[in-house]
């Protein structure tokens, strides 16, 4: 009898794995032949929408099949139009993202998509270039990805995606679905793109939905943005929530991968742009101490910060920095502390350390309305892993900025770019398209051509409207508690729209809040001169006269306000203060 050959454990495991792999590959091939295609990224498993009306609708002009921005979407989007059927010579680019892509606080006419379109058409007229601005105000990555589903119908050639700032604008929750996906981490993306996974999804989806009763715990959002800040007074609602923060980051990564999948489905290219921020001239929206800070530690921390402020006011920057470093050793989670360290390091010329401190302030901001550095890293990582390109605008901004730290030289507020910064981004995008061979500039393309385009775009700017846009931005920042930044914007607005009553009122109101009464009164008087019925300007002016003990002027102004609007209760409160404090005739005669 022959002796049976016993296999070693190692060989048994190897043969078992080989059998499993061969079975899986055979099943994959069979399902692919049968037409089962993976749809892992076709839908967002974490959020859905209560309704879904299209962004673009057919034009009322029946002479041409043209798509135009739907009227009900113009609150969030620029008005854009393009042929429904893409002509043969046309290269169609959709620029997606949030309000930066939109062009805020202005509009499409000075946005990077407008600059890029003008560059392309002038440099290479052998093709018809369509650069369509689909930036949605307050749109986060999950809304951008959902929008791409619609845009895929219109034969895109390229998607340019600038996203990352708006991920925490809307209130979202994530259940066990997100936790289970996080536990799979590296395997989930690969498994999810297999035909076998797709078949399993189809087989078990209905059963899972019936069992859960809530369609896999998918959160249903309203059709348009419902920002947390729209329901609150400033950023006070925000609080540090590490699990939510990490889940939001994972959802952001999923959304970028989904965008790549959708672009591939449309046979279009996709180009990501990292979102840049003003880190030097914009302090954090909200700061919080670390959760386990004791009462004694907080008292010590506050004492050190106070000492630093005293030293800083005396221009003893090294001493101030030493105090903040000691406070940092007690609590390194307070965003404002990092920002103040950055200011001191900046003054001392320690640029690299200052830049790091400013960025840490952004990353620790409890109200993260600027893309944290981890979100920038995810954009780079996703693009690198899938061989897609990325314009690292966040790093370019540092190269262009004064002393290498982005501030008011490139930004109008915390994230919105100056017109020049939009122009620079467009130039980088154009260079990328030239390097990739997408555009072939003709012999006449030169620096002079670029200058002509700049003259054309800048010549179209309505400075009065530009000033009003800055005024509106100042009001938003003031509401968010950023009074210093709001005042600076209001004064810029005055330079552009000085003959607008409401702009003068906003500037006067900001200066009044900061205690600059004489200058505030000047702007408020100008507002009343331009608009005699301006009640709010009179209320502020009456308060200023009260503080200056100008009783007659205060009484006269507030009585005018009451005549104009007898229903406004605040006017009677001010009048009562005037009457309580107004010197009587008897006291005047007694003094004589």
């Amino acid at each position: 009898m022959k002796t049976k050959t016993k296999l070693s454990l190692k060989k048994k495991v190897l043969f078992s794995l080989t059998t499993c792999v061969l079975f899986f590959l055979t099943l994959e091939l069979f399902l692919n032949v049968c037409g089962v295609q993976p749809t892992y990224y076709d839908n967002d498993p974490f959020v859905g929408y209560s309704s879904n009306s299209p962004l673009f609708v057919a034009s009322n002009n029946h002479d041409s099949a043209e798509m135009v921005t739907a009227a009900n979407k113009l609150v969030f989007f620029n008005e854009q139009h393009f042929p429904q059927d893409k002509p043969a010579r046309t290269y169609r680019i959709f620029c997606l993202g949030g309000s930066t892509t939109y062009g805020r606080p202005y509009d499409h006419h000075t946005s990077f998509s407008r600059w890029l379109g003008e560059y392309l058409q002038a440099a290479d007229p052998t093709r018809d270039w369509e650069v369509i601005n689909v930036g949605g105000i307050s749109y986060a990555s999950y809304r951008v990805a959902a929008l791409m589903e619609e845009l895929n119908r219109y034969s895109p050639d390229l998607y340019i995606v600038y996203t990352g700032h708006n991920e925490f604008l809307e209130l979202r929750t994530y259940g066990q679905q997100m936790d289970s996906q996080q536990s799979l981490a590296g395997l989930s993306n690969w498994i999810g793109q297999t035909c076998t996974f797709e078949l399993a999804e189809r087989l078990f989806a209905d059963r899972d939905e019936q069992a859960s009763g809530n369609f896999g715990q998918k959160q249903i959002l309203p059709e348009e943005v419902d920002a947390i800040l729209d329901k609150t007074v400033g950023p006070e609602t925000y609080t540090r929530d590490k699990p939510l923060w990490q889940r939001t980051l994972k959802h952001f990564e999923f959304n970028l991968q989904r965008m790549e999948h959708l672009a591939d489905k449309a046979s279009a290219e996709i180009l990501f742009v990292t979102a840049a921020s003003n880190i030097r001239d914009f302090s954090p929206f909200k700061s919080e101490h670390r959760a386990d800070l004791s009462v004694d530690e907080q008292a010590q921390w506050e004492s050190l910060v106070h000492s630093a402020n005293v030293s800083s006011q005396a221009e003893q920057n090294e001493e101030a920095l030493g105090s903040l470093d000691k406070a940092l050793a007690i609590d390194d989670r307070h965003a404002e502390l990092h920002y103040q360290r950055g200011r001191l390091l900046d003054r001392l010329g320690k640029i690299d350390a200052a830049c790091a401190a400013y960025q840490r302030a952004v990353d620790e901001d409890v109200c993260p309305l600027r893309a944290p550095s981890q979100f920038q890293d995810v954009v780079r990582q996703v693009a690198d892993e899938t061989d897609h390109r990325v314009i690292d605008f966040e790093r370019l901004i540092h190269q262009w900025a004064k002393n290498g730290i982005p501030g008011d030289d490139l930004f109008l507020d915390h994230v919105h770019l100056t017109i020049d910064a939009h122009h620079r981004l467009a130039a980088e995008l154009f260079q990328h398209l030239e390097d990739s061979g997408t555009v072939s500039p003709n012999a006449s393309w030169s620096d002079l051509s670029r200058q002509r385009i700049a003259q054309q775009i800048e010549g179209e700017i309505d400075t009065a409207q530009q000033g009003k846009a800055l005024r509106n931005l100042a009001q938003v920042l003031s509401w968010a508690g950023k009074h210093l930044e709001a005042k600076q914007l209001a004064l810029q607005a005055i330079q552009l729209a000085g003959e607008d009553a409401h702009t003068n009122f906003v500037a006067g109101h900001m200066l009044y809040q900061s205690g600059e009464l004489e200058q505030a009164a000047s702007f408020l008087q100008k507002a009343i001169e331009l608009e005699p019925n301006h009640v709010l300007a009179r209320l502020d002016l009456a308060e200023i006269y009260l503080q200056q003990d100008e009783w007659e002027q205060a009484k006269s102004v507030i009585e005018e306000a009451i005549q104009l609007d007898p229903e406004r209760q605040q006017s009677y409160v001010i009048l009562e203060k005037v009457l309580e404090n107004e010197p009587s005739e008897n006291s005047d005669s007694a003094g004589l």
Side-chain angles (χ1 to χ4, degrees), residues 390-404:
V390 61
I391 298 293
D392 206 336
F393 186 53
E394 192 258 347
R395 288 178 180 165
L396 285 170
I397 279 284
H398 280 75
Q399 295 174 19
W400 301 337
K402 181 181 178 182
N403 293 332

Side-chain angles (χ1 to χ4, degrees), residues 71-84:
N72 65 315
K73 298 287 188 177
L74 291 174
V75 174
F76 294 92
F77 294 88
N78 284 286
E79 184 174 355
Q80 301 282 276
H81 58 87
F82 55 90
Q84 183 172 5

Side-chain angles (χ1 to χ4, degrees), residues 117-165:
E118 296 291 344
Y119 266 35
L120 291 170
Q121 201 59 52
D124 185 3
T126 62
R127 304 177 86 167
D128 292 326
W129 300 91
E130 290 179 355
V131 184
I132 303 157
N133 188 329
V134 201
I137 295 171
S138 299
Y139 263 50
S141 61
Y142 47 90
R143 289 189 179 272
V144 171
L147 189 57
M148 284 178 65
E149 296 178 35
E150 175 184 343
L151 301 179
N152 270 2
R153 305 171 199 163
Y154 304 117
S155 306
D157 292 294
L158 172 65
Y159 286 114
I160 297 174
V161 181
Y162 186 118
T163 190
H165 289 315

Side-chain angles (χ1 to χ4, degrees), residues 190-241:
W190 180 76
I191 294 173
Q193 297 179 70
T194 62
C195 298
T196 307
F197 180 84
E198 174 60 22
L199 179 63
E201 280 277 284
R202 294 185 189 182
L203 290 173
F204 297 109
D206 292 340
R207 186 186 304 173
D208 289 344
E209 286 172 8
Q210 289 174 1
S212 66
N214 60 359
F215 296 92
Q217 298 181 336
K218 179 183 285 193
Q219 182 183 3
I220 303 302
L221 299 175
E223 179 177 340
E224 287 301 348
V225 177
D226 184 21
I228 297 171
L229 292 173
D230 290 343
K231 304 174 182 176
T232 60
V233 180
E236 290 308 309
T237 301
Y238 283 83
T239 187
R240 184 174 285 128
D241 186 337

